[in-house]
Amino acid sequence: MKPIISPMDDVEELYQEILLDHYRNPRNKQPCHAFLLRAHQSNLLCGDEIVLGIELAQDSIGKIAFEGHGCSISQASASMLTEAVSGMTKTQALDLIEKVRHLTHGDACEEDLGDVMALKGVSKFPVRVKCALLPWMALKDALFQKNARPP
Ligand code: ZN
């Protein structure tokens, strides 16, 4: 008997591959101390640490980087985030953060958010939702540090 593969299984396999690719080859991972706008978030449950640094050019995200360590979900999510929000305005970025929050809680998403869609998989594992959202919370913090200066 042939195995029955539903379209859902294909999608989940693709999500897994996207997550692993970002975890193994993180995009924009570099020291963030030189960024004026940066934020740190940690997840004690899992030992995840994320520092996110951004530079605004006018009202758009001109440069973005992250550093950190932790589980594959948190690190892959940070890598996806840096690609997804690069060049976005602050409003667009905040809008995407909300969409990702809904996505990881299992809400339907009609829009194609690119690689970020792979985070939908964590909605089945409530303890991993915080891992996935960690870098997005750091981005929100960094965006609101309008007047941040280096220490
Ligand atoms: Zn984690």
Side-chain angles (χ1 to χ4, degrees):
M1 203 172 122
K2 277 187 191 171
I4 300 163
I5 298 170
S6 72
M8 197 49 152
D9 292 332
D10 281 351
V11 170
E12 281 178 10
E13 211 178 296
L14 177 69
Y15 285 169
Q16 278 297 326
E17 276 171 29
I18 295 171
L19 279 167
L20 276 176
D21 179 50
H22 277 272
Y23 178 58
R24 289 178 181 148
N25 311 296
R27 327 294 201 260
N28 306 302
K29 189 173 182 183
Q30 61 184 76
C32 293
H33 56 263
F35 288 84
L36 291 186
L37 301 177
R38 59 181 187 273
H40 170 246
Q41 281 277 349
S42 59
N43 178 7
L44 296 176
L45 272 177
C46 201
D48 304 328
E49 303 269 353
I50 295 282
V51 175
L52 199 78
I54 56 173
E55 231 166 68
L56 293 177
Q58 309 286 12
D59 190 42
S60 298
I61 297 172
K63 265 179 82 179
I64 183 161
F66 83 99
E67 55 185 322
H69 56 86
C71 71
S72 52
I73 303 269
S74 65
Q75 304 304 305
S77 180
S79 169
M80 288 173 187
L81 175 151
T82 61
E83 277 199 328
V85 304
S86 179
M88 277 190 173
T89 64
K90 202 170 156 177
T91 313
Q92 288 170 329
L94 290 172
D95 187 51
L96 183 61
I97 293 170
E98 271 311 288
K99 283 177 186 154
V100 171
R101 204 169 59 77
H102 285 292
L103 192 73
T104 56
H105 284 94
D107 298 344
C109 180
E110 260 114 70
E111 234 176 297
D112 182 2
L113 304 176
D115 283 5
V116 171
M117 292 304 278
L119 294 174
K120 195 173 174 56
V122 304
S123 62
K124 287 185 197 154
F125 309 97
V127 292
R128 311 311 300 275
V129 171
K130 186 161 185 200
C131 304
L133 289 179
L134 207 62
W136 300 86
M137 292 191 295
L139 174 62
K140 202 167 180 174
D141 292 346
L143 281 170
F144 283 106
Q145 284 173 26
K146 266 194 286 188
N147 304 306
R149 291 284 179 272

